[in-house]
Amino acid sequence: MKSAVETLNPTRVRLTVEVPFEELKDSLDAAYKKINQQVTVKGFRKGKVPARVIDQRFGRGAVLEEAVNDALPKFYTDAVNEAELSVLGQPEVDITELKDGETLNFTAEVDIRPTIEIPDFSGIEVEVDAVEVTEEDVDKAVEELRERFASTAPVERAAEDGDVVTIDLQAKVDGEILEDGVADGVSYTIGSGELLEGIDDAVTGLEAGGEATFTSELKGGSAAGKEAEVTVKVTQVAKRELPELDDEFAQLASEFDTIEELRADSRKRLENMKQYDQATQAQERVLEKLLDLVEVPVPEKLLEDEINTRKHNLEHHQLGQMGLDLAKYLEIQGKSEEEFDAETKEAAVKGIKTQFVLDELVKQEKLNVNQEELTEHLMRRAASSGMSPDQFAQAVVEGGQVPLLVGEVARGKALAVVVEKATVKDTNGEVIDLDDEEDEAETESAEAEATEASAEEKTEG
């Protein structure tokens, strides 16, 4: 076999392959054997029909077609390996010449990973938010904890903002009560915004036994998105009572004995959260600066597939779970379809570029992933997916996704190398040392760009 490579553009090549006919022997033998198992010829036992008889009865062309279909993947793979190409996706194959007993010639056009030159990135500088926790921040955190320990007590008066009402609901569309539009004994906190739009105004001022009707667009169910006439009946009004912010509350709500110890712990937790957010912000901004330094051509087909995958995931997974379609989502976001398409394309381009650049850095820095790093990453991914580590690991292995997870960890380590050499200052002008921050921030920042959808799968060829 002889092969040659023609570069069509920085991300696409054409392979020209010439195969001497004798190299098709194994595939021809396999073709005769396969046809033998499929046909019946009088006078011959099944599977024992001679090749010359198959040629006479069914045509040599059928055998050649079967043999070529069997052989092409192998010769294509050999040509790719010989040229040391990193291919993306499936090739477009065209058989240019097939002469029985002489030669098989074909071409294969395929996208490839572009050659990327990583420049010196040690001069990258970024600014991040300073870690500052105010007394107001601590007050808010303690108040949220206090809200979780609130109790309720029934009252005999009209419902007010912040009260917890027990209600019965009935929704009609076009005068008909919906089968899934009736609910009794629903507990609702006035002002929480957790139910239908308009319900706060409807129930405020009602006492137990009071009833009101209002119009609202349904968020879910069989008539999601439709205007409904909703009747709400209040069966109980209860006042929320918050515990006193004292040492007794600290002992009830935490492992601390005093309210001051509880506040100190809240401050420390807030500082840790802001430090994590600061580290994540630093990695995102360093990544943006790195991408600005590198020229990365993006294969058109890969980009098209990535855009389609992102749209599919949004429409059929994320929005579907919220009972929304794309049109309603765009209306809520205040975006036109053109704006949405432009943003999706921009995000897809950034995701592909991020993967290409970080993968090149993995090679350049000779980074490896050990079992401990992979296990830690798997645990984080399992937690974010809502699955147990064992369930997630089983799904990863069965789906053949282990190399993808290894790639995610490696890209996180590559980004860490860049961040380590960058200068990071906060808004107060202080230089930030991120060495003590959580490693997972590095990994997740890289993943967010490079693996949001399925660019990884499509770029593995």
Side-chain angles (χ1 to χ4, degrees):
M1 183 196 82
K2 292 194 302 183
S3 64
V5 180
E6 177 188 356
T7 300
L8 303 178
N9 61 49
T11 63
R12 193 166 180 83
V13 297
R14 179 188 292 122
L15 286 163
T16 301
V17 184
E18 298 178 9
V19 183
F21 206 80
E22 56 267 23
E23 293 187 31
L24 287 172
K25 184 180 184 306
D26 289 345
S27 293
L28 279 169
D29 291 344
Y32 279 117
K33 185 175 181 180
K34 182 177 180 179
I35 294 172
N36 236 315
Q37 299 300 322
Q38 296 173 340
V39 301
T40 301
V41 178
K42 188 175 180 180
F44 297 95
R45 284 182 296 160
K46 193 172 185 64
K48 299 296 183 180
V49 182
R52 59 179 176 77
V53 175
I54 290 177
D55 289 347
Q56 291 169 356
R57 292 291 187 92
F58 305 102
R60 175 72 166 176
V63 179
L64 288 174
E65 182 179 354
E66 181 67 39
V68 169
N69 288 339
D70 175 74
L72 273 178
K74 175 186 178 301
F75 291 121
Y76 165 72
T77 302
D78 289 346
V80 166
N81 292 337
E82 184 178 292
E84 297 182 342
L85 298 175
S86 180
V87 299
L88 308 172
Q90 298 302 311
E92 295 179 8
V93 178
D94 181 27
I95 298 173
T96 55
E97 186 175 29
L98 176 58
K99 289 185 177 180
D100 193 0
E102 294 184 31
T103 187
L104 162 66
N105 297 337
F106 68 91
T107 62
E109 286 191 18
V110 66
D111 286 334
I112 59 169
R113 279 180 178 262
T115 300
I116 299 174
E117 296 293 332
I118 306 291
D120 178 20
F121 47 78
S122 60
I124 289 178
E125 294 186 11
V126 297
E127 183 180 75
V128 296
D129 295 335
V131 172
E132 296 174 345
V133 177
T134 65
E135 284 300 309
E136 289 75 16
D137 293 331
V138 177
D139 290 343
K140 182 179 178 182
V142 173
E143 188 63 26
E144 288 174 353
L145 181 61
R146 187 185 180 204
E147 290 278 350
R148 296 212 300 269
F149 283 85
S151 59
T152 58
V155 292
E156 294 184 5
R157 60 164 172 75
E160 301 173 356
D161 186 44
D163 284 344
V164 179
V165 290
T166 304
I167 54 178
D168 298 336
L169 294 164
Q170 183 185 85
K172 292 181 181 179
V173 173
D174 298 330
E176 297 290 329
I177 298 175
L178 299 171
E179 286 187 17
D180 56 355
V182 178
D184 294 333
V186 177
S187 180
Y188 175 66
T189 301
I190 300 176
S192 67
E194 294 174 353
L195 278 179
L196 298 167
E197 188 175 339
I199 195 169
D200 290 336
D201 291 338
V203 298
T204 299
L206 295 181
E207 298 184 16
E211 190 175 294
T213 300
F214 63 100
T215 300
S216 183
E217 183 179 303
L218 299 178
K219 295 181 180 179
S222 61
K226 293 185 178 180
E227 288 287 326
E229 182 184 89
V230 182
T231 300
V232 55
K233 180 178 180 180
V234 176
T235 59
Q236 179 181 277
V237 178
K239 180 182 179 181
R240 298 180 77 249
E241 296 180 344
L242 297 174
E244 291 294 326
L245 287 176
D246 52 21
D247 293 348
E248 187 177 334
F249 169 69
Q251 294 161 22
L252 169 69
S254 71
E255 70 270 32
F256 302 106
D257 293 326
T258 68
I259 192 67
E260 287 308 314
E261 289 176 326
L262 174 59
R263 287 181 62 86
D265 181 69
S266 296
R267 176 180 292 277
K268 183 62 178 175
R269 289 174 184 271
L270 289 170
E271 287 175 350
N272 289 340
M273 287 173 56
K274 291 198 173 189
Q275 283 172 351
Y276 176 82
D277 291 343
Q278 185 187 64
T280 302
Q281 188 180 64
Q283 283 128 26
E284 289 172 350
R285 293 182 178 179
V286 168
L287 177 60
E288 288 175 1
K289 287 287 186 75
L290 176 64
L291 294 182
D292 288 341
L293 292 176
V294 187
E295 185 68 31
V296 185
V298 176
E300 290 183 12
K301 182 65 168 60
L302 179 63
L303 177 58
E304 179 185 339
D305 289 346
E306 179 66 8
I307 290 172
N308 290 337
T309 299
R310 287 173 183 251
K311 286 184 176 179
H312 178 86
N313 287 345
L314 175 66
E315 291 188 61
H316 298 280
H317 297 295
Q318 295 162 272
L319 296 183
Q321 293 174 356
M322 295 187 287
L324 298 174
D325 58 17
L326 183 59
K328 187 62 181 177
Y329 169 75
L330 294 179
E331 180 184 331
I332 294 172
Q333 294 290 315
K335 295 176 184 175
S336 67
E337 192 168 340
E338 290 75 18
E339 289 172 328
F340 169 73
D341 286 343
E343 289 179 4
T344 303
K345 180 178 180 179
E346 182 180 356
V349 168
K350 186 176 181 182
I352 292 170
K353 285 185 174 182
T354 297
Q355 181 175 332
F356 284 169
V357 170
L358 294 183
D359 283 349
E360 183 63 31
L361 267 171
V362 169
K363 289 196 301 182
Q364 182 175 298
E365 300 291 328
K366 297 181 173 58
L367 300 175
N368 295 309
V369 176
N370 60 41
Q371 186 60 50
E372 183 181 355
E373 292 167 334
L374 182 60
T375 300
E376 288 177 358
H377 180 60
L378 187 147
M379 299 280 282
R380 288 195 293 269
R381 287 291 301 273
S384 64
S385 71
M387 301 169 69
S388 73
D390 287 345
Q391 288 174 324
F392 187 79
Q394 183 178 352
V396 166
V397 172
E398 290 178 353
Q401 305 295 298
V402 173
L404 301 184
L405 258 65
V406 172
E408 290 174 4
V409 179
R411 282 188 280 277
K413 294 180 72 171
L415 179 57
V417 169
V418 185
V419 172
E420 184 180 355
K421 293 184 179 180
T423 299
V424 181
K425 294 182 179 180
D426 66 16
T427 48
N428 294 328
E430 296 290 330
V431 175
I432 306 300
D433 183 1
L434 298 173
D435 287 346
D436 295 331
E437 301 298 331
E438 292 293 330
D439 290 340
E440 64 203 62
E442 295 156 358
T443 302
E444 290 172 6
S445 180
E447 289 167 27
E449 300 297 345
T451 63
E452 180 178 330
S454 61
E456 304 178 274
E457 297 176 81
K458 299 184 191 309
T459 56
E460 294 300 325

